[in-house]
Amino acid sequence: MWRKLRILLLLLILLIVALNTYFDRVYSTDWNIPLRVTVYPINGDGSDNVAEFISQLKPDRFQNLEAFFDEEASHWGIALEQPVQFKSAPLLEKNPPALDRDANMLSILWWSLRMRYWAWQSPELPGAAPDIKLFVVYHDPALTPTVAHSIGMQKGLYAVVNIFADPSMTGSNDVITAHELLHTLGATDKYDPDNSQPLNPTGYAEPDKQPLLPQDYAELMGGRIPVTSAESTVPESLNQVVVGPITAAEIGWHKE
Ligand SMILES: [Zn+2]
C-alpha cells in the first residue's frame, strides 16, 4: 500500500514537471517579444578575490552577449531588435544545490526538483518577471583550477553557469553563458562528450567550407573551433562563434 502510494506520488510529480516544462518551452521560444534573462552572480568559493571581482562587475557587461544574439537571430530571420535582454541581479548569497559527479537518474531527478524550487524562490528584481534565470557562479582560478560543468536545464528555464572570476576570461565566459542559455531553450550539445570534439556536420560553423579544416568559427553548441578532425580550440570570444542551422531550428529560429 505504502509502496504504491509512493510510486503514485512520484508519477504525479513527474507529470507536473513535464507539463510545466511543456508550457515553459512554448512560451519561451515563440520570439514575438524579447526574451528577458536575469543574471544572478554567486561567489563560488566564498573567497575575497571573487567577492572583489563581483563587486566590480558592470551593469552593462552583457553588451557583447546582446549584440551576439541580435546578429545571430537576424541572420535566422528573427526581426526583433534585441531578441535577448540581460539584466543583472545583486549578488546572491546562497549557492545552488550541488549535484554529485556520480549522480544516478533518481538523484538527478531529485536534484532538478530542488533546483527548480531554489530557482523559483530566488529574489525577483522590480519590474517584469524574467523568462530565464541564469545563476552565474564565479570561481577564483587559483583556488579552483577546473570548475564543475555548467548545467543549462532544458526544463525549468534556468541555468547554473560555472565560470572564472578573471577579467582576461570575459570572452570565453560569454561563450559559456550563451551556450548554457540556449540549453534552457531546448538546444542540444553538438560535440562528442568523450573528447569535446565538435560533431561533423552539426557542430561545425561552416560544414560546407572547402577545405573543411581548419574551421574559422565555433558553432555555439559544438563549443569549439575544429582545427583537425581530432583537435579543436576554445573560442576566445563570441566574435568567433555562430549559431548553426540545427541549433537555430531547436530554439525556434526559422527563416520565413
Ligand atoms: Zn552544453
Side-chain angles (χ1 to χ4, degrees):
M1 173 65 193
W2 173 230
R3 196 183 135 77
K4 276 193 182 150
L5 209 68
R6 260 176 35 195
I7 292 172
L8 194 71
L9 192 72
L10 197 64
L11 285 176
L12 205 70
I13 292 173
L14 279 174
L15 183 74
I16 293 169
V17 171
L19 280 175
N20 221 329
T21 304
Y22 174 76
F23 287 113
D24 280 352
R25 283 263 203 109
V26 171
Y27 289 134
S28 63
T29 55
D30 53 12
W31 301 105
N32 291 331
I33 51 165
L35 193 74
R36 288 183 305 264
V37 180
T38 297
V39 179
Y40 297 81
I42 295 170
N43 186 339
D45 41 40
S47 67
D48 292 344
N49 276 351
V50 173
E52 170 69 14
F53 182 86
I54 291 176
S55 74
Q56 306 280 323
L57 289 173
K58 302 214 164 56
D60 65 353
R61 66 187 183 278
F62 307 113
Q63 277 175 354
N64 288 340
L65 276 158
E66 288 176 339
F68 171 77
F69 285 115
D70 199 359
E71 197 177 321
E72 294 301 310
S74 81
H75 175 76
W76 290 109
I78 301 297
L80 274 180
E81 214 172 291
Q82 268 211 348
V84 185
Q85 297 176 356
F86 290 84
K87 232 197 235 179
S88 183
L91 173 77
L92 203 57
E93 299 286 354
K94 283 183 294 183
N95 276 28
L99 179 64
D100 288 342
R101 276 170 199 261
D102 54 351
N104 60 28
M105 274 283 288
L106 203 68
S107 57
I108 291 173
L109 177 69
W110 177 232
W111 173 85
S112 77
L113 282 175
R114 281 165 61 217
M115 187 61 220
R116 270 182 97 90
Y117 174 74
W118 190 88
W120 170 78
Q121 55 86 59
S122 58
E124 304 265 330
L125 296 178
D131 300 301
I132 292 176
K133 294 179 174 181
L134 290 186
F135 301 99
V136 176
V137 187
Y138 288 93
H139 301 267
D140 182 347
L143 292 175
T144 323
T146 59
V147 295
H149 272 293
S150 299
I151 308 164
M153 296 297 287
Q154 294 190 25
K155 28 201 160 183
L157 298 189
Y158 57 83
V160 180
V161 183
N162 285 298
I163 54 182
F164 288 116
D166 180 339
S168 73
M169 297 182 82
T170 305
S172 58
N173 285 345
D174 282 351
V175 176
I176 296 171
T177 306
H179 176 107
E180 297 308 324
L181 176 62
L182 287 210
H183 271 316
T184 69
L185 301 177
T188 57
D189 280 326
K190 295 169 185 67
Y191 61 84
D192 182 341
D194 291 333
N195 56 14
S196 301
Q197 190 68 13
L199 300 177
N200 179 10
T202 55
Y204 277 47
E206 295 175 296
D208 300 323
K209 184 174 174 281
Q210 292 290 344
L212 183 63
L213 293 164
Q215 292 268 309
D216 298 319
Y217 300 94
E219 200 285 328
L220 183 56
M221 304 312 286
R224 290 170 174 235
I225 307 168
V227 180
T228 68
S229 59
E231 282 170 86
S232 52
T233 56
V234 176
E236 281 167 23
S237 79
L238 287 167
N239 292 335
Q240 296 180 307
V241 179
V242 301
V243 172
I246 311 285
T247 300
E250 284 170 338
I251 63 167
W253 288 356
H254 305 281
K255 282 205 160 115
E256 290 297 309

